Amino acid sequence: MTGIYFSGTGNTKYCVSKFLEYYKNVFQTEMYSMEDDICIEKLKESSDIVFGYPVYYSDMPMIVRDFINAHSQMFAGKNIFIIATMGLFSGDGTGCSARLFRKYGANILGGLHLKMPDCIGDVKALKKPLEKNREIVKDADRKIKQTVRNIKNKQFSQDGLTFINRIAGLLGQRLWFYGKPYRLKEKLKIDYEKCVSCGKCSDVCSMGNIKMIENKPVPQNNCTCCYRCFSNCPKKAITLIGNKVLEQSTIDKYVKI
Ligand SMILES: Cc1cc2nc3c(=O)[nH]c(=O)nc-3n(C[C@H](O)[C@H](O)[C@H](O)COP(=O)(O)O)c2cc1C
Ligand code: SF4
Ligand code: SF4
């Protein structure tokens, strides 16, 4: 199985790597971020894929939807197991991509929903103490291990893939947040009083959305809301949904990797 994933702050990358580690009983596993060019080549070569992404407003991040649509012809006949990570809840986090994959001819093996630390670090609602987040990651780890055990016995979990899940995703969130990720595309804010022009946000951006122009980071209005720049800014100068940096969340805070 080959891992293909998108991960803003590392949660999903961690979960896909754990899945493959338990699945293959090896530590070094084959997994590729959608942002890397080599990913397309690996996708072409692989018949069995574990596909991971974080849930944003009970939907896929824009970068993930665009990736699937851009490479639609590559999914016919592939066997795909989907992992969706989330801070609290998603009705059909895996179902959103499963519907698209099926349309492009893929066979969906199953789905796994994993609760992980919330990466939105400028909104108070889901913030938890460090120890609690570490516990959450341990619980996810246990769930992944059990899921892989079941898969080896030919039982694939179906989190997020049923019709009831679809209704839950729609009524629970998508209806209320319809179009929200697209509205957030242009909302990234940089506090130039705090910014020291180190360029880190530009280097890590998953969308090439932050350009350094005359030594100043300038957002280009094409943000996928992954919170990676936010979490890596040494001066806490970036905000997106909220207006204040409460916590910079990256997976290495919660687990040894
Ligand atoms: C814009 C945005 C929207 C989100 N919406 C949801 C949501 O609807 N439900 C949920 O449980 N978590 C939500 N989250 C939390 C993330 O899904 C969660 O923290 C995820 O594990 C982050 O994964 P990553 O580190 O791989 O990027 C959202 C995060 C962001 C940035
Ligand atoms: S990472 Fe922060 S300090 Fe560095 S250039 Fe970006 S906004 Fe400025
Ligand atoms: S600007 Fe920041 S939040 Fe937006 S896509 Fe780039 S790294 Fe992610």
Side-chain angles (χ1 to χ4, degrees):
M1 241 191 197
T2 302
I4 308 276
Y5 67 91
F6 172 70
S7 184
T9 59
N11 290 351
T12 311
K13 181 179 180 184
Y14 174 81
C15 293
V16 172
S17 84
K18 281 285 157 191
F19 180 95
L20 287 169
E21 185 186 322
Y22 296 136
Y23 189 80
K24 298 188 174 180
N25 290 324
V26 288
F27 188 64
Q28 287 289 339
T29 53
E30 263 209 89
M31 52 185 280
Y32 305 92
S33 165
M34 279 167 221
E35 296 158 69
D36 300 337
D37 292 340
I38 193 175
C39 172
I40 313 301
E41 215 174 287
K42 295 293 172 184
L43 176 61
K44 224 185 267 176
E45 289 168 4
S46 318
S47 56
D48 297 334
I49 292 163
V50 52
F51 190 90
Y53 54 86
V55 168
Y56 292 173
Y57 297 110
S58 230
D59 207 340
M60 287 178 276
M62 188 172 72
I63 190 173
V64 177
R65 189 174 288 280
D66 288 351
F67 176 88
I68 300 174
N69 283 326
H71 305 292
S72 57
Q73 77 289 357
M74 289 195 195
F75 294 108
K78 307 261 189 220
N79 297 313
I80 305 181
F81 185 83
I82 305 165
I83 293 180
T85 70
M86 59 204 67
L88 180 66
F89 163 80
S90 156
D92 59 346
T94 58
C96 299
S97 68
R99 291 192 285 280
L100 206 50
F101 282 135
R102 285 197 185 106
K103 184 173 137 192
Y104 296 138
N107 170 39
I108 302 303
L109 298 170
L112 176 61
H113 280 183
L114 293 166
K115 196 170 153 193
M116 288 292 277
D118 174 39
C119 66
I120 305 180
D122 51 1
V123 175
K124 214 170 178 181
L126 298 179
K127 291 282 114 342
K128 296 182 195 70
L130 189 61
E131 274 316 307
K132 179 71 192 154
N133 276 332
R134 287 187 173 148
E135 273 308 309
I136 287 174
V137 177
K138 278 189 195 150
D139 285 346
D141 204 327
R142 282 190 277 269
K143 190 171 176 189
I144 297 168
K145 206 178 225 170
Q146 187 56 50
T147 300
V148 171
R149 245 186 240 136
N150 294 343
I151 288 178
K152 288 188 174 173
N153 290 322
K154 305 265 179 283
Q155 288 174 322
F156 289 86
S157 55
Q158 300 293 316
D159 296 358
L161 295 175
T162 66
F163 182 68
I164 303 282
N165 292 140
R166 186 170 182 181
I167 299 295
L170 191 67
L171 297 183
Q173 268 170 304
R174 263 196 312 285
L175 271 186
W176 318 117
F177 292 116
Y178 186 74
K180 178 93 172 170
Y182 289 87
R183 290 199 296 279
L184 287 172
K185 266 168 84 164
E186 304 171 5
K187 296 288 186 218
L188 195 88
K189 306 171 277 290
I190 297 179
D191 182 341
Y192 292 109
E193 304 255 302
K194 292 183 184 163
C195 172
V196 291
S197 296
C198 68
K200 189 146 192 202
C201 52
S202 174
D203 292 344
V204 300
C205 178
S206 54
M207 298 287 284
N209 180 48
I210 303 181
K211 301 267 179 257
M212 293 303 286
I213 299 172
E214 292 174 2
N215 215 21
K216 202 173 143 193
V218 183
Q220 304 293 301
N221 298 339
N222 192 30
C223 174
T224 195
C225 308
C226 71
Y227 273 76
R228 196 186 293 162
C229 58
F230 169 99
S231 287
N232 282 285
C233 172
K235 292 294 167 187
K236 299 186 179 173
I238 303 176
T239 49
L240 177 53
I241 298 175
N243 293 313
K244 196 170 169 215
V245 178
L246 302 165
E247 184 194 7
Q248 289 175 303
S249 163
T250 51
I251 186 69
D252 51 317
K253 282 174 69 175
Y254 313 121
V255 74
K256 279 202 186 103
I257 44 175

